[in-house]
Amino acid sequence: SQTIHQWPATLVQPVGSPLSLECTVEGTSNPNLYWYRQAAGRGLQLLFYSVGIGQISSEVPQNLSASRPQDRQFILSSKKLLLSDSGFYLCAWSGDNNYGYTFGSGTRLTVV
Amino acid sequence: TQLLEQSPQFLSIQEGENLTVYCNSSSVFSSLQWYRQEPGEGPVLLVTVVTGGEVKKLKRLTFQFGDARKDSSLHITAAQPGDTGLYLCAGGFNDYKLSFGAGTTVTVRA
């Protein structure tokens, strides 16, 4: 069966520090991968998506970047965090038909 | 950016009552999905509907896709405290991306 792992679960980082969040998928090949950010208790904003290794599409201009160095690995990064980067970050994967996402358990990022 | 509107934003009911959550858009969906999310966790897919007029049932949950594929509803019969959570609808528009509604927070009181 397919599984998705996302870590860390929580992170407190000072303003100006770098960020690296990692997401890996097991049990499937060539998944579509996504990074979303969620405001407290509300809807999800798509940040990046990838349909293959090295292929990254950005949805929102921001202080973040994404990379996909391997087929089932998706990384969200920042060189210098801002206070506004705080939030709940979710990684997800889907198959080609896009009939359902499977989400990771999320990372709660607090920038202080 | 496609816009999905969910209503109501908050819903608090007593155990045993029924509830309905709505999801609307001015655009036509290729597919529509409903998720439930608990605090501190990722959303979990409940159902995907792809055909206009489609109705799917999952135990006490009934999902309906509008004939024009622009709207959907989620109905819960005899709600239980375990149904408490954030319900999100998400629409697919013939690409790899989903657009999510702002969510409906459902609280079922025992």
Side-chain angles (χ1 to χ4, degrees), chain A residues 1-5 24-29 31 93 102:
Chain A
S1 63
Q2 301 93 351
T3 57
I4 181 168
H5 302 280
T24 59
V25 180
E26 297 177 356
T28 187
S29 296
W93 76 273
T102 300

Side-chain angles (χ1 to χ4, degrees), chain B residues 19-75:
Chain B
L19 69 94
T20 302
V21 178
Y22 300 93
C23 179
N24 296 282
S25 174
S26 58
S27 300
V28 176
F29 303 130
S30 61
S31 70
L32 190 135
Q33 300 159 26
W34 285 94
Y35 295 79
R36 187 169 76 93
Q37 184 181 22
E38 298 192 13
E41 299 181 8
V44 175
L45 179 67
L46 296 175
V47 76
T48 300
V49 286
V50 298
T51 304
E54 184 176 3
V55 177
K56 283 192 173 180
K57 292 190 176 183
L58 183 65
K59 296 183 180 179
R60 294 175 293 99
L61 278 63
T62 301
F63 305 86
Q64 187 162 7
F65 202 12
D67 291 341
R69 292 187 292 146
K70 292 183 177 182
D71 58 273
S72 180
S73 63
L74 158 62
H75 182 79

